[in-house]
Amino acid sequence: MKKLMILGASYSQLPLYKAAADLGIATVAVSTPGDWPGFQLADECSYTDISDPEAVLEAAQKHKINGIATCCLDAGIRSVGYVCEHMGLKGLSAEAGKLCSDKYLMKEAFVRNGVNCARHICIRNREELETAVRTLKFPVILKAVDLMGSRGIFRCNTKEEVYSHYTDTMTATGKDYCLLEEFIEGEMLGCEAMICDGELLYCLPNNIENYPGFVPTPIGHSIPYRKQEILGEEVRRQVILALNALGMDNCPVNCDLMEKDGKIYVIEITGRAGGNCLPEIAGLYYGINYYEAIVRLAMDMDVKNLFAGKSLRPAVLSHIFTSDKDGILKQIHNENNPQPDLADLSFNVSPGDEIRHYENGRDRLGQVILTGKNLQGCENRLAEVLSKISIEFIA
């Protein structure tokens, strides 16, 4: 039986394990030790740091894998590329995995290859920070180059905020440098895609619902993109430019973009499927199991036919449940009944769990995914669903 190594064993990766099992493929779960649910689903386990490429390669060779994949997290991307290149597997090159995993190296590649992106300056000490503050116009973004879920990222409107949050960013990052970027004030959007042997199998821009914070943090996505007719082709062009800039191929694609005054800017791009229900809404839109597509691509199985001649669903929307306060969960009250348009309504917390007010993706409580005839209908339905859910904390 062929083996697929999956980096990550949390609830976000569980659909990958299930999709592989449905295809008759054995799985090897890779993560640091812990009570991760993926360990229960996998056929074999490796207690390895997924951010350590050499350690992951050693585990991959030991388990004699035939493919490697991840989804919804960035920590293992460099390892995916490293293993694919050293073992001759289908997937990212080692160089592409490296560029995807460092926002500074990524931005430098963007600039060299004509990708529209924000002006940026690499910061290695306070002296360089002071010079950069005098160079860029406010507002600016302080950004850790190696983290996901908006961790280590702060919007700053003044010099004082820059100097204050610089310590926060450098405490969070594992690097000895960070970025200071101009802040493009526009409308955020995302794009999911998949590239196989140099061919873009699909390109799906999506609208983003943001949670307000130091920087806007996505907690919801919807399709179709509201400006598809006027900007869809430019989104696709910029995504292709970014893929070529990083040398990305044979991988799912998650891209964050910004639109300002009709111009599309690439914020960042990486070689894995996005989080926050993006694989689910892409799958619903195309009428496929998108996790199966990820598995097929990693295992060098036919994937192109999954997207061929599909009847597209009119509209799909996802939303992440959050809390605006801290506490110990007593109960989540849910008065919603099953309905055909309610593709998913689930929670990843249980009574007794510690709940944190939302700051990044680690603080999510659950999710809802809706389908409908149009976006407005999905948005109205979301308001109705949310009105029937409440959180009770232990006093």
Side-chain angles (χ1 to χ4, degrees):
M1 181 181 289
K2 290 191 174 182
K3 294 181 186 178
L4 173 67
M5 175 172 275
I6 297 177
L7 303 190
S10 72
Y11 63 88
S12 297
Q13 288 78 52
L14 294 185
L16 267 185
Y17 290 94
K18 295 174 182 176
D22 289 342
L23 290 170
I25 298 168
T27 53
V28 181
V30 184
S31 184
T32 50
D35 187 22
W36 303 112
F39 288 144
Q40 306 302 316
L41 288 183
D43 297 281
E44 301 173 22
C45 299
S46 175
Y47 302 108
T48 304
D49 180 359
I50 67 172
S51 67
D52 184 339
E54 292 185 356
V56 174
L57 175 61
E58 182 179 349
Q61 292 170 333
K62 175 183 176 182
H63 288 273
K64 300 179 180 179
I65 67 168
N66 305 100
I68 184 170
T70 190
C71 66
C72 308
L73 80 169
D74 290 330
I77 294 298
R78 195 159 61 99
S79 295
V80 168
Y82 192 79
V83 170
C84 285
E85 183 156 314
H86 281 77
M87 294 185 70
L89 304 179
K90 190 89 167 186
L92 287 167
S93 67
E95 180 66 12
K98 176 183 175 181
L99 295 176
C100 285
S101 302
D102 188 310
K103 295 178 176 65
Y104 169 59
L105 300 179
M106 180 188 299
K107 286 295 182 71
E108 290 289 287
F110 285 172
V111 171
R112 289 194 300 270
N113 291 275
V115 181
N116 289 341
C117 63
R119 187 181 180 191
H120 66 281
I121 300 174
C122 185
I123 307 298
R124 292 180 173 82
N125 52 55
R126 282 195 171 268
E127 288 73 22
E128 291 183 351
L129 181 65
E130 291 172 1
T131 300
V133 165
R134 293 194 296 269
T135 303
L136 298 179
K137 294 182 179 179
F138 286 94
V140 294
I141 291 283
L142 261 175
K143 182 179 291 187
V145 301
D146 57 339
L147 301 176
M148 63 176 291
S150 300
R151 290 179 293 129
I153 300 178
F154 302 92
R155 170 177 169 161
C156 305
N157 296 312
T158 65
K159 291 188 296 183
E160 291 72 23
E161 289 181 352
V162 170
Y163 298 141
S164 173
H165 288 307
Y166 176 66
T167 300
D168 298 328
T169 295
M170 295 309 297
T171 298
T173 185
K175 301 287 188 178
D176 61 358
Y177 55 89
C178 66
L179 288 181
L180 190 70
E181 292 185 2
E182 65 174 337
F183 182 75
I184 300 173
E185 298 194 72
E187 183 176 358
M188 285 187 68
L189 64 142
C191 187
E192 292 296 294
M194 180 174 282
I195 186 169
C196 178
D197 296 331
E199 178 185 350
L200 202 58
L201 302 186
Y202 83 99
C203 184
L204 187 61
N206 60 81
N207 313 294
I208 293 180
E209 174 197 3
N210 282 314
Y211 187 92
F214 286 117
V215 292
T217 304
I219 58 168
H221 299 269
S222 61
I223 46 181
Y225 175 43
R226 289 186 177 87
K227 298 182 180 180
Q228 179 64 34
E229 292 188 5
I230 57 174
L231 291 175
E233 282 304 311
E234 178 59 12
V235 171
R236 181 185 180 91
R237 190 177 77 87
Q238 289 297 325
V239 167
I240 292 174
L241 283 173
L243 291 172
N244 292 338
L246 303 192
M248 295 170 64
D249 198 2
N250 296 315
C251 61
V253 177
N254 171 253
C255 187
D256 295 331
L257 308 105
M258 186 75 72
E259 182 257 320
K260 180 180 180 182
D261 299 331
K263 186 174 182 179
I264 298 294
Y265 298 84
V266 177
I267 305 302
E268 58 188 65
I269 193 167
T270 191
R272 49 90 178 161
N276 292 341
C277 308
L278 280 167
E280 285 79 6
I281 66 172
L284 283 167
Y285 190 69
Y286 287 103
I288 64 173
N289 182 339
Y290 190 56
Y291 293 100
E292 177 186 336
I294 297 170
V295 173
R296 284 182 171 275
L297 182 60
M299 298 298 291
D300 200 12
M301 301 166 63
D302 177 58
V303 66
K304 296 181 180 180
N305 286 333
L306 286 181
F307 297 94
K310 294 296 181 180
S311 177
L312 306 184
R313 193 178 292 267
V316 188
L317 176 149
S318 69
H319 176 84
I320 298 303
F321 297 124
T322 64
S323 172
D324 59 2
K325 58 183 290 188
D326 301 330
I328 303 299
L329 178 65
K330 181 176 181 180
Q331 187 176 357
I332 292 180
H333 300 279
N334 174 27
E335 299 176 3
N336 290 283
N337 295 318
Q339 297 291 340
D341 66 342
L342 197 53
D344 182 36
L345 176 55
S346 56
F347 302 95
N348 55 274
V349 291
S350 304
D353 286 350
E354 180 181 359
I355 303 300
R356 289 166 32 90
H357 68 278
Y358 191 84
E359 291 186 346
N360 57 59
R362 292 180 172 181
D363 304 321
R364 58 179 287 166
L365 308 182
Q367 63 192 40
V368 58
I369 304 175
L370 294 161
T371 62
K373 296 180 179 179
N374 52 60
L375 281 180
Q376 187 62 57
C378 287
E379 290 168 349
N380 293 341
R381 184 76 169 94
L382 175 63
E384 179 184 355
V385 170
L386 295 179
S387 72
K388 297 179 179 180
I389 296 173
S390 60
I391 304 172
E392 182 180 358
F393 291 92
I394 293 177

